[in-house]
Amino acid sequence: AKFSPRAARSGVRATAGGGAWTCSSVCEIDCYGDNASNKLRPRLRLGYAEAKRGALTLRGGQDWLPIAQQNPGTIDFGILSWGGNLWWRLPQLTARYDKGGMQYLVSLAQHRVSNEQEQQELLPWVMGRIAATNVIADNTTLAVGGGVRSVTVGDVDYSPHVVAAELKAKLGDVTLTAEGYAGRGVGREFVHYGLDYNPDHVDGGVAIDSKGFFVSAGMPLTETVGV
């Protein structure tokens, strides 16, 4: 693996309360990459504002992908994006409601790479997720989520969609993390470049089918070292 100061992250978090709502904001940058049009340095990783009242949380800005939230334990920069994992940080408007170990989430999300070059995907992904933590079993999170959008690229209409399932469980000293997805048109907004659309298909323009999964296990060897 290659390491450099460009992979370091810097950020700030601020919180203000005192009333019915607690408000906070996060800004996080790094200097990874180059000066290509979609990743100028320094690069914004996270940048959002949040308001919370009781079980309800409202968040707007650039945050992690609202669905398929699990990631494997790996130093691979792409976090296995070509090995079955869906991820990225997307501009979004997201609402979460947490109660009794259940979380319900709805979100509108769209990455700016979708408006580059030949693709003009003007409508956002509409996403939803339901997660249960310590409900079915202790130290276990199970979640299902999905998203849809309606897109016209050129003069062809597409209907991309995705569904995903997640598992995170603590089994003694071992933490097991797993995720699987299936979808159509699950492309650049999920770091799956080239899996968007095929305008030259024999049946006419179609969104490209894809599916994948990963299973990851981690265990600490000492307080600072794990495998």
Side-chain angles (χ1 to χ4, degrees), residues 67 125-128 145-149 159-164 184 186 190:
I67 63 171
W125 282 88
V126 179
M127 297 183 177
V148 296
R149 79 186 308 178
S159 296
H161 60 268
V162 61
V163 293
R184 194 174 267 192
V186 181
F190 302 87

Side-chain angles (χ1 to χ4, degrees), residues 29-181:
I29 63 172
D30 66 20
C31 291
Y32 190 89
D34 53 33
N35 282 329
S37 61
N38 69 342
K39 50 184 175 182
L40 294 174
R41 294 179 302 198
R43 185 180 66 164
L44 179 68
R45 290 172 55 89
L46 300 175
Y48 60 80
E50 178 181 281
K52 184 174 183 179
R53 180 173 183 173
L56 177 64
T57 301
L58 304 176
R59 182 177 294 181
Q62 179 152 300
D63 192 17
W64 290 97
L65 182 70
I67 63 171
Q69 295 182 8
Q70 308 307 313
N71 287 317
T74 175
I75 62 172
D76 171 50
F77 172 75
I79 322 181
L80 300 185
S81 57
W82 290 105
N85 184 29
L86 296 183
W87 74 279
W88 214 351
R89 297 173 291 271
L90 302 179
Q92 60 189 267
L93 294 173
T94 300
R96 295 173 173 85
Y97 186 82
D98 295 88
K99 190 168 186 179
M102 300 294 298
Q103 183 184 87
Y104 307 92
L105 175 153
V106 292
S107 180
L108 300 176
Q110 181 184 12
H111 200 291
R112 63 194 179 101
V113 298
S114 289
N115 289 324
E116 291 184 346
Q117 301 173 9
E118 77 286 355
Q119 299 193 21
Q120 296 294 317
E121 303 172 81
L122 301 179
L123 293 177
W125 282 88
V126 179
M127 297 183 177
R129 179 178 181 264
I130 300 175
T133 300
N134 298 327
V135 174
I136 298 173
D138 291 340
N139 301 313
T140 299
T141 296
L142 290 171
V144 293
V148 296
R149 79 186 308 178
S150 178
V151 174
T152 299
V153 179
D155 57 354
V156 182
D157 296 329
Y158 300 94
S159 296
H161 60 268
V162 61
V163 293
E166 310 167 43
L167 167 67
K168 188 170 186 178
K170 187 81 178 292
L171 308 173
D173 291 334
V174 176
T175 298
L176 180 68
T177 306
E179 184 178 279
Y181 86 92

Side-chain angles (χ1 to χ4, degrees), residues 192-227:
H192 281 54
Y193 291 96
L195 296 177
D196 312 84
Y197 315 113
N198 180 4
D200 301 317
H201 194 275
V202 293
D203 295 330
V206 298
I208 298 172
D209 288 322
S210 66
K211 56 183 178 292
F213 72 94
F214 73 83
V215 178
S216 173
M219 181 179 68
L221 299 180
T222 68
E223 291 184 357
T224 57
V225 178
V227 295

